[in-house]
């Protein structure tokens, strides 16, 4: 059984993961209509991953005697300045999500809920990967500069990142 405090905080995390999914979806749509097809493919796939992060929390809360609540989710931005802007926002967003997961782990420690703390370890590790991936992509984009023609090379690189990700999952 989880405490009300842990349940509420897990429900808050559901909202954040749901927002992550919507944010990636919105970015995917912008990339698709802007002609960045590989970027769009990467972002659509990531929107699905975020939905799975959210669903994993639903099962956990309900299995532990709580009640997972479907949250109201605020509208994400729909316009972006560039592909660089998209990944810069992603990096900032993932750093914020990591902070939220860490706070949540802190709440579990305070409540002496070591089962939930253990469950959350998966999210702690996932956030290391998410931040690294966004940081690596940003580094690539910084090297390429603003040159639109070079974004073609970036898109090709992204295709291989997608393939590598699929192989490791
Ligand atoms: Fe759910 O990891 Fe990104 O936000």
């Amino acid at each position: 059984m989880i405490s009300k405090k842990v349940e509420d905080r897990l429900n808050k995390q559901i909202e954040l993961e749901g927002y992550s999914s919507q944010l990636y979806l919105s970015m995917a749509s912008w990339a698709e209509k802007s002609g960045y097809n590989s970027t769009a493919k990467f972002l659509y796939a990531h929107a699905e991953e975020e939905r799975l992060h959210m669903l994993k929390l639903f099962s956990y809360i309900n299995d532990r005697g709580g009640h997972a609540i479907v949250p109201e989710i605020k509208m994400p931005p729909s316009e972006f300045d560039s592909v660089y802007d998209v990944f810069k926002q992603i990096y900032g967003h993932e750093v914020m999500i990591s902070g939220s997961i860490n706070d949540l782990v802190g709440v579990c420690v305070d409540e002496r809920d070591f089962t939930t703390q253990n469950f959350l370890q998966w999210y702690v590790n996932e956030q290391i990967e998410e931040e690294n991936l966004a940081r690596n992509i940003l580094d690539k984009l910084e090297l390429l500069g603003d040159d639109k023609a070079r974004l073609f090379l970036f898109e090709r690189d992204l295709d291989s990142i997608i393939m590598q990700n699929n192989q490791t999952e």
Side-chain angles (χ1 to χ4, degrees):
M1 189 79 186
I2 46 178
S3 70
K4 183 79 180 98
K5 199 165 172 190
V6 169
E7 179 183 349
D8 288 348
R9 193 52 187 73
L10 287 169
N11 269 314
K12 179 71 194 159
Q13 195 62 35
I14 281 184
E15 186 186 332
L16 287 173
E17 300 292 342
Y19 179 74
S20 296
S21 182
Q22 300 289 71
L23 178 63
Y24 280 98
L25 189 58
S26 186
M27 288 167 162
S29 174
W30 174 86
E32 189 170 45
K33 69 113 187 152
S34 306
Y36 302 118
N37 292 339
S38 297
T39 302
K41 193 167 144 195
F42 172 83
L43 295 166
Y44 276 124
H46 209 98
E48 281 305 301
E49 262 189 46
E50 295 294 352
R51 185 173 158 74
L52 293 177
H53 296 175
M54 181 182 73
L55 291 176
K56 211 172 156 74
L57 288 158
F58 269 80
S59 307
Y60 182 79
I61 296 171
N62 289 337
D63 283 352
R64 301 272 299 135
H67 185 182
I69 305 292
V70 177
E72 186 174 24
I73 294 176
K74 73 171 180 187
M75 189 177 168
S78 53
E79 292 297 337
F80 302 90
D81 293 341
S82 59
V83 172
Y84 181 81
D85 179 37
V86 165
F87 283 98
K88 197 164 166 227
Q89 290 197 36
I90 287 177
Y91 180 67
H93 179 77
E94 291 303 341
V95 168
M96 181 277 286
I97 295 288
S98 299
S100 173
I101 296 287
N102 287 339
D103 284 352
L104 183 45
V105 170
V107 170
C108 294
V109 172
D110 289 347
E111 294 283 294
R112 298 186 59 76
D113 183 347
F114 303 118
T115 311
T116 304
Q117 184 195 355
N118 190 37
F119 162 75
L120 288 171
Q121 200 53 49
W122 182 88
Y123 288 85
V124 171
N125 293 334
E126 180 68 15
Q127 280 315 118
I128 296 171
E129 279 177 31
E130 298 242 359
E131 279 188 33
N132 277 347
L133 182 60
R135 187 66 253 169
N136 286 341
I137 292 174
L138 261 187
D139 286 348
K140 272 192 209 307
L141 284 166
E142 269 161 19
L143 279 176
L144 289 174
D146 251 358
D147 184 347
K148 286 216 164 109
R150 292 202 194 166
L151 274 175
F152 168 77
L153 297 174
F154 167 74
E155 288 254 297
R156 203 189 51 192
D157 278 1
L158 210 47
D159 274 336
S160 62
I161 290 175
I162 296 168
M163 268 170 58
Q164 276 168 18
N165 263 6
N166 289 346
Q167 279 161 7
T168 53
E169 271 167 16

